[in-house]
């Protein structure tokens, strides 16, 4: 099969890497891709937001399947456009991608179908929002802008003043765009966070190995939120009992709810869960693989990824068995100085040659370019140094020893991934 992967980050590198191991792959393409991906797949300079351009590229390449990895093209309906011209896809259509695209939609879905989540109300009027804050009067309280906001539309307000400022900037000033003028105010939950990615064809849902993201920029969960500074799999707080409970109360009810709403979800459904004192609850859904969760989870996948993608598209997920490696994996993100705020790019990266390779590890590229025989930085998150082993400790040790071989100016990474 000829397969085109849409996207350009570490997650896409992990997907490309795993697909490259499939004996069914004849040719692998990626758009736009990055420096590391270009070693495994022919990359084309088409933006993920350019739906027409991407469909034209898939047709030109005679792609048998297109894997749409990031949320933006999924929310734009790239899958629908590809299916309309007869090209197979992996990823939800536009109607189903709303589960990530609108927090108001996903909260209302959970309420309607009794899926456990934080208690909430929705507002598009500042006075009503403030009156609600005053009547609740418990802090912290969580304020979320509707719409895709690259993980930035969530504010955990510590007091009334902060909460009022957040709702005012979202509703009155449109700080997160037009859709962000709709605001969810929800109860603050506590407990360990778990990511569960799941393959689903709309009828069957198969959870992957669990994982844990590390969202804050610095050690000890200090500093601003990022796209994710590291991940481990499996998540040490999760177990078989919890998986059974989540299957019954969250995973199956969610895909059935989506089907009942006429929005059958096919692809990878991301459950951001919190293990609260009163049981697991949903923090958020994403309509795609997580990044950097995909790097650790796909590193543990033993089965052929293309066979799974095919089974999802053909609604035959119940007919295959998905196997996982024994042990654990860890990913350390190496980021540009300043990230998640302003940062410089174009720094040469040293240590990505054969000499820097450590066995049982792989360096996924997130923001790099390759030209003139060298790799340079091209984004905030630059590399995802990933390793696996018989235990979490072994995986972490290998990952950090691989990190030590790599250098670029002003780089920063967390030294406490997996330590909590
Ligand atoms: P989200 O973009 O919805 O995943 O939110 C980003 C992060 O904010 C989550 O990973 C949590 O750490 C935190 N968060 C979101 N909602 C809540 C909540 N209701 N209670 C506590 N923390 C939350
Ligand atoms: N790592 C969090 C996400 O992919 O949304």
């Amino acid at each position: 099969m000829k397969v085109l992967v849409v996207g350009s980050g570490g997650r896409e590198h992990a997907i490309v890497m795993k697909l490259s191991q499939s004996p069914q792959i004849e040719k692998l393409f990626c758009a736009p891709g990055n420096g590391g991906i270009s070693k495994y797949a022919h990359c084309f300079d088409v933006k993920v937001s350019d739906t027409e351009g991407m469909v034209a590229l898939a047709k030109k390449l005679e792609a048998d399947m297109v894997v749409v990895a990031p949320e933006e093209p999924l929310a734009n309906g790239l899958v629908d456009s590809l299916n309309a011209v007869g090209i197979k896809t992996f990823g939800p259509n536009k109607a189903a991608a709303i589960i990530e695209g609108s927090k108001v939609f996903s909260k209302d879905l959970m309420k309607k179908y009794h899926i456990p989540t934080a208690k909430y109300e929705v507002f598009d009027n500042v006075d009503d929002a403030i009156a609600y804050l005053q009547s609740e009067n418990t802090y912290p309280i969580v304020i979320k802008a509707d719409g895709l906001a690259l993980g930035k539309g969530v504010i955990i307000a510590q007091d009334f003043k902060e909460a009022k400022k957040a709702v005012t900037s979202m509703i009155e000033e449109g700080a997160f765009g037009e859709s962000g003028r709709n605001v969810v105010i929800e109860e603050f939950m506590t407990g360990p966070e778990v990511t569960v990615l799941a393959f689903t064809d709309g009828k069957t849902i198969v959870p992957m190995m669990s994982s844990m993201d590390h969202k804050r920029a610095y050690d000890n969960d200090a500093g601003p939120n990022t796209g994710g500074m590291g991940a481990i799999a499996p998540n040490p707080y999760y177990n078989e009992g919890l998986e059974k409970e989540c299957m019954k109360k969250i995973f199956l009810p969610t895909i059935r709810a989506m089907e009942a709403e006429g929005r059958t979800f096919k692809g990878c459904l991301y459950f951001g869960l919190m293990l609260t004192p009163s049981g697991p609850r949903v923090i958020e859904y994403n309509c795609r693989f997580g990044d950097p969760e995909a790097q650790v989870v796909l590193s543990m996948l033993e089965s052929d990824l293309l066979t799974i993608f095919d089974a999802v598209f053909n609604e035959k997920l119940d007919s295959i068995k998905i196997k996982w490696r024994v042990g654990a994996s860890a990913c350390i993100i190496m980021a540009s100085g300043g990230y998640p705020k302003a940062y410089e790019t174009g720094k040469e990266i040293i240590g990505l040659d054969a000499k820097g390779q450590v066995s049982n590890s792989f360096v996924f590229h997130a923001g790099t370019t390759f030209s003139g025989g060298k790799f340079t930085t091209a984004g905030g998150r630059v590399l995802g140094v990933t390793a696996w082993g018989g235990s979490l400790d072994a995986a972490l040790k290998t990952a950090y020893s691989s990190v030590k071989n790599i250098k670029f100016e002003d780089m920063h990474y967390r030294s406490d991934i997996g330590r909590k």
Side-chain angles (χ1 to χ4, degrees):
M1 279 173 79
K2 297 194 204 86
V3 178
L4 168 65
V5 177
V6 173
S8 64
R11 164 183 58 205
E12 288 74 13
H13 195 182
I15 293 170
V16 163
M17 174 61 192
K18 194 69 206 161
L19 286 174
S20 75
Q21 296 166 355
S22 171
Q24 301 172 73
I25 289 282
E26 182 193 332
K27 278 204 180 114
L28 255 177
F29 308 108
C30 190
N34 64 37
I37 294 174
S38 69
K39 304 285 163 200
Y40 290 86
H42 198 309
C43 294
F44 294 88
D45 194 13
V46 177
K47 289 198 177 65
V48 301
S49 56
D50 178 3
T51 304
E52 262 177 50
M54 206 57 88
V55 174
L57 176 67
K59 277 165 109 177
K60 192 179 92 188
L61 297 172
E62 297 178 346
D64 298 298
M65 174 175 277
V66 179
V67 180
V68 185
E71 61 273 27
E72 187 191 352
L74 291 167
N76 290 343
L78 177 57
V79 163
D80 310 61
S81 301
L82 289 161
N83 292 161
V85 296
I87 299 173
K88 290 204 274 191
T89 46
F90 180 81
N93 62 15
K94 184 173 178 162
I98 194 175
I99 199 164
E100 172 170 1
S102 168
K103 292 203 189 292
V104 174
F105 170 85
S106 65
K107 293 297 292 189
D108 288 348
L109 184 85
M110 289 186 268
K111 190 184 263 179
K112 182 170 170 188
Y113 293 91
H114 311 290
I115 297 165
T117 187
K119 181 185 128 188
Y120 75 103
E121 291 295 333
V122 180
F123 299 94
D124 60 2
N125 170 298
V126 174
D127 294 336
D128 294 346
I130 289 174
Y132 179 73
L133 289 170
Q134 283 165 331
S135 71
E136 283 297 296
N137 199 29
T138 23
Y139 294 93
I141 199 159
V142 184
I143 302 176
K144 299 183 174 183
D146 197 31
L148 292 178
L150 297 167
K152 294 194 192 96
V154 175
I155 289 170
I156 299 180
Q158 300 298 331
D159 54 36
F160 176 70
K161 205 171 138 220
E162 260 182 60
K164 187 177 164 191
K165 191 172 148 215
V167 296
T168 309
S169 77
M170 286 176 187
I171 300 175
E172 260 173 14
E173 291 148 30
F176 295 98
E178 273 320 299
S179 57
R181 289 183 196 267
N182 288 312
V183 167
V184 173
I185 302 183
E186 73 178 24
E187 166 199 4
F188 179 76
M189 303 185 288
T190 55
E193 286 185 41
V194 179
T195 300
V196 177
L197 308 174
F199 293 113
T200 174
D201 60 6
K203 305 216 157 31
T204 303
I205 184 158
V206 182
M208 300 179 218
M209 181 178 277
S210 64
S211 56
M212 179 193 278
D213 190 9
H214 295 63
K215 288 202 166 77
R216 300 298 193 104
Y218 312 122
D219 282 7
N220 303 313
D221 288 335
N225 262 328
T226 68
M229 290 298 288
I232 55 168
N235 187 311
Y237 292 99
Y238 196 67
N239 58 35
E240 258 177 57
L242 281 165
E243 173 148 315
K244 278 208 184 88
E245 186 180 352
C246 290
M247 185 54 103
K248 197 168 131 220
K249 294 184 180 159
I250 297 173
F251 305 156
L252 272 173
T254 300
I255 61 158
R256 290 196 181 130
M258 290 298 278
E259 192 178 22
E261 294 293 312
R263 296 175 182 274
T264 303
F265 189 103
K266 288 169 69 170
C268 172
L269 185 51
Y270 174 124
F271 296 89
L273 306 173
M274 193 171 269
L275 307 179
T276 75
S278 58
R281 297 209 244 165
V282 177
I283 303 172
E284 63 159 348
Y285 295 114
N286 290 325
C287 64
R288 50 171 175 85
F289 286 98
D291 189 343
E293 290 97 326
Q295 289 85 314
V296 284
V297 172
L298 293 178
S299 293
M300 297 304 286
L301 179 65
E302 211 169 83
S303 305
D304 184 317
L305 187 58
L306 189 55
T307 303
I308 301 172
F309 286 173
D310 220 42
V312 167
F313 183 80
N314 294 319
E315 299 175 17
K316 296 259 163 61
L317 193 55
D318 61 347
S319 70
I320 62 168
K321 182 120 190 70
I322 299 176
K323 284 200 185 140
W324 298 92
R325 287 180 168 179
V326 181
S329 59
C331 171
I332 320 300
I333 297 290
M334 301 185 75
S336 294
Y339 174 79
K341 303 220 167 72
Y343 54 84
E344 289 174 16
T345 57
K347 314 279 187 198
E348 184 176 354
I349 309 169
I350 314 286
L352 292 175
D353 51 2
K355 243 182 26 225
Q357 306 284 307
V358 171
S359 59
N360 294 329
S361 78
F362 191 87
V363 180
F364 293 113
H365 291 225
T368 71
T369 49
F370 185 77
S371 76
K374 58 185 190 188
F375 288 103
T376 51
T377 65
R381 291 191 288 179
V382 176
L383 303 167
V385 180
T386 304
W388 44 92
S391 64
L392 176 59
D393 272 346
L396 285 167
K397 204 165 157 225
T398 309
Y400 277 111
S401 81
S402 177
V403 163
K404 293 278 179 296
N405 294 334
I406 301 167
K407 283 187 179 51
F408 52 90
E409 198 185 312
D410 296 335
M411 65 184 199
H412 82 89
Y413 61 87
R414 282 182 57 163
S415 61
D416 67 341
I417 299 302
R419 287 292 168 221
K420 196 156 74 180

